[in-house]
Amino acid sequence: MASDSKNSTPNAYWIKLVIIFFLGWIVIYAGRSVLSPLIGELQTQFGLNKAETGGIMSLFFLAYTIFQIPSGILGDKIGRKRVLVTGFTLYAIFIASIYFAPSFIIFLILWILAGAAQGCYYGPQYALSSEAIPKKWITLGSAIIGSGMSFGIAMGYYLSSIMISVFHSSWQLPFVVVAIPIIIVTLLMALCIKEKVAKPTATQVSQSIKFSELFKNRNLVLAYITIFCSIYGFFVIITWLPNYLEAERGMDKLQASQIASIVPWISIIGTLLCSYISDKLGRRKPVVLCMMPLSLIAIFSIVYSESYAVLIAVLILYGFIGKISLNPVLIALVADNAPKASLSTAFGLYNFFGMSASICAPYFTGLIADKTGSLNSGFYLAAALTLVGITAMLFVNEKKNKD
C-alpha cells in the first residue's frame, strides 16, 4: 500500500502524493464552479427559474454523493489507485462531452455523470494520503491537499466568466477547457501513485465488513453531522453568491466572480493556519468550536452588509474559517477514530453525509428565492444549520492525542 512507499522514501513519496491530490482537488472544484457564473445564461436559454437552476447543481451532487460509499468500499477492496484513475478518466470524458450536448436533457445527463465520476475521489484519496502522511503532519498535509479546492473554485469562476464576458464564447466551451487539466492530473495519478494491494488479514476482513460499526462511534457520527451543516452553508455561497451579487447587488458578471473568489483565496491561509494549530494541540474539537461560531456570524453578515468594504470583510472572515478551512480538521478527527482497515469507507461515509448538504443547498436556496423573491432567506437557513453543527461538536468526546 501507500505506506510501503512511505517507508522507502519517507519524505519524497508522501509529499508527492500531497501535490498530486492538491491538483486533484483543483480540477474537481474547477469543474463544479465553472457552472456558477453561467447560471444567467442557462436560465435565459432554457427558461429556468431559480429552483430549477439550483436543481441542476443538486442533481450533480446527488450523483456525487451516491457514489461516496460504493467508491470507498471499492477502494478498500480492489485498490484505491484503480478507483481514482478510473473515476478521473470518466470525469474528463463526461465534462468535455457537455460541449457537444444537443439539448438540455443531454446536458443534464452528462453533468450528472460527471458528478458521479467525481464521487470516486474522496474516500480513496484521503485513505491513501492519511496512510502516507506522517501522523504529526496529518492535519497540515490534509489542509494542503484541501486547499486545492480554493484554487479550483477561483479557477472555475474566472474561466467561465472571462470566456463569456471577455471572449464572448458559448457557455459550453468552458467545459472543454476545464477537461484538459483533468486529463493531466489523471496521468499523474496513474504514473506516480504506488499502491500494493495486499491480501487482507482475518482481522482486517472482520473490521472492513462491519459497516454498521462505524455508526457506533459517537465521534464519527458527530463529525458527519458537523460536516453536513458546514457544507450546506458553503454550497449556498459557492453556488449562489456570484448570482446573488449580480441580481441583488448590481455587479457585472466579472466583478461578481472576483468578489466571490475572495472566499476560496483567503481559505488557503485559514486552512494552513487552523490545521497547524490543530496538529500542535493534538486535538480537533477546540479548533472547530472556535471556527464554526465565526462562520455563523459571517453567513448572517453577508445579507446585512451594506457596503462593498463590509461585504469584502465578511467574505474574508468566512474564507478564513469556513468549510474549506474546517474540512482538514474534521478529516483528522475521522482519521483519529476510524478503523484503519475501513479507512476508505469511513471517509466515503464522511463525505456522503457532508455532500448530502450539497444536494439540498442549491435547490432549497433557489426554491426559497422563488417563494420570497430574494436569496436572503437561503443564507439565514445556512446560518441556522451552522448552529446545529456547533451543537453537535459540543458532544465530541476527545482525549488529547499524545502522539
Side-chain angles (χ1 to χ4, degrees), residues 2 13 31 63 69 107 126 163 205 223 261 322 344 355 371:
Y13 182 69
I69 298 174
F107 156 73
Y126 276 114
M163 291 185 71
V205 170
S261 67
S344 184
M355 296 308 292
K371 298 293 184 183

Short mmCIF file of all heavy atoms in Angstrom, two decimals, residues 2 13 31 63 69 107 126 163 205 223 261 322 344 355 371:
data_model
loop_
_atom_site.label_atom_id
_atom_site.label_comp_id
_atom_site.label_asym_id
_atom_site.label_seq_id
_atom_site.Cartn_x
_atom_site.Cartn_y
_atom_site.Cartn_z
N ALA A 2 0.23 2.41 0.15
CA ALA A 2 0.99 3.66 0.11
C ALA A 2 2.07 3.69 1.18
O ALA A 2 3.13 4.26 1.00
CB ALA A 2 0.04 4.85 0.27
N TYR A 13 7.81 10.49 -1.03
CA TYR A 13 6.57 9.90 -1.54
C TYR A 13 5.34 10.61 -1.01
O TYR A 13 4.43 10.95 -1.77
CB TYR A 13 6.50 8.40 -1.22
CG TYR A 13 5.24 7.78 -1.79
CD1 TYR A 13 5.09 7.65 -3.16
CD2 TYR A 13 4.21 7.36 -0.95
CE1 TYR A 13 3.93 7.11 -3.70
CE2 TYR A 13 3.06 6.82 -1.48
CZ TYR A 13 2.92 6.69 -2.85
OH TYR A 13 1.77 6.16 -3.38
N GLY A 31 -14.22 22.09 -12.12
CA GLY A 31 -15.32 21.52 -12.90
C GLY A 31 -16.69 21.85 -12.32
O GLY A 31 -17.67 22.00 -13.05
N ALA A 63 -25.65 12.68 -7.56
CA ALA A 63 -24.84 11.61 -8.17
C ALA A 63 -23.50 11.47 -7.46
O ALA A 63 -23.03 10.36 -7.17
CB ALA A 63 -24.64 11.90 -9.65
N ILE A 69 -20.04 6.16 -0.85
CA ILE A 69 -19.89 4.90 -0.10
C ILE A 69 -19.42 3.76 -0.99
O ILE A 69 -18.46 3.04 -0.64
CB ILE A 69 -21.19 4.56 0.64
CG1 ILE A 69 -21.52 5.67 1.66
CG2 ILE A 69 -21.09 3.21 1.33
CD1 ILE A 69 -22.86 5.51 2.35
N PHE A 107 -27.40 17.60 -21.87
CA PHE A 107 -26.50 18.36 -20.98
C PHE A 107 -26.66 17.89 -19.54
O PHE A 107 -25.66 17.65 -18.84
CB PHE A 107 -26.82 19.86 -21.08
CG PHE A 107 -26.41 20.64 -19.85
CD1 PHE A 107 -25.07 20.90 -19.58
CD2 PHE A 107 -27.37 21.11 -18.96
CE1 PHE A 107 -24.70 21.62 -18.45
CE2 PHE A 107 -27.00 21.82 -17.82
CZ PHE A 107 -25.66 22.07 -17.56
N TYR A 126 -8.34 10.29 0.42
CA TYR A 126 -7.96 10.59 1.79
C TYR A 126 -7.49 9.34 2.54
O TYR A 126 -6.72 9.45 3.49
CB TYR A 126 -9.11 11.29 2.53
CG TYR A 126 -9.11 12.78 2.29
CD1 TYR A 126 -10.15 13.39 1.59
CD2 TYR A 126 -8.06 13.58 2.71
CE1 TYR A 126 -10.14 14.76 1.34
CE2 TYR A 126 -8.03 14.95 2.46
CZ TYR A 126 -9.08 15.53 1.78
OH TYR A 126 -9.06 16.88 1.53
N MET A 163 -14.26 33.81 -20.24
CA MET A 163 -14.58 33.30 -21.57
C MET A 163 -15.89 33.87 -22.10
O MET A 163 -16.02 34.16 -23.29
CB MET A 163 -14.63 31.77 -21.56
CG MET A 163 -13.28 31.11 -21.36
SD MET A 163 -13.32 29.31 -21.48
CE MET A 163 -13.58 29.11 -23.24
N VAL A 205 -10.51 -8.16 7.50
CA VAL A 205 -11.79 -8.52 6.87
C VAL A 205 -12.92 -8.30 7.85
O VAL A 205 -13.97 -7.75 7.53
CB VAL A 205 -11.75 -9.98 6.39
CG1 VAL A 205 -13.14 -10.43 5.96
CG2 VAL A 205 -10.76 -10.14 5.25
N ALA A 223 -19.01 13.97 13.78
CA ALA A 223 -18.24 14.59 12.69
C ALA A 223 -19.07 14.63 11.41
O ALA A 223 -19.03 15.62 10.66
CB ALA A 223 -16.94 13.82 12.45
N SER A 261 -14.71 35.10 -5.40
CA SER A 261 -13.49 34.29 -5.29
C SER A 261 -12.64 34.67 -4.08
O SER A 261 -11.65 33.99 -3.79
CB SER A 261 -12.65 34.43 -6.57
OG SER A 261 -12.16 35.74 -6.70
N GLY A 322 -14.19 29.11 7.15
CA GLY A 322 -15.34 28.37 6.62
C GLY A 322 -15.05 26.92 6.34
O GLY A 322 -14.06 26.35 6.82
N SER A 344 -10.99 3.96 4.04
CA SER A 344 -11.59 4.50 2.83
C SER A 344 -13.11 4.57 2.95
O SER A 344 -13.75 5.54 2.53
CB SER A 344 -11.19 3.64 1.62
OG SER A 344 -11.68 4.17 0.43
N MET A 355 -21.70 15.79 1.74
CA MET A 355 -22.15 16.22 0.43
C MET A 355 -23.65 16.04 0.24
O MET A 355 -24.21 16.54 -0.75
CB MET A 355 -21.38 15.48 -0.66
CG MET A 355 -19.89 15.81 -0.67
SD MET A 355 -19.51 17.58 -0.71
CE MET A 355 -20.10 17.99 -2.34
N LYS A 371 -39.92 31.70 -3.80
CA LYS A 371 -41.08 31.95 -2.93
C LYS A 371 -41.04 33.34 -2.30
O LYS A 371 -42.08 33.98 -2.14
CB LYS A 371 -41.14 30.89 -1.82
CG LYS A 371 -41.31 29.46 -2.32
CD LYS A 371 -42.66 29.24 -2.98
CE LYS A 371 -42.83 27.76 -3.36
NZ LYS A 371 -44.12 27.54 -4.07
#
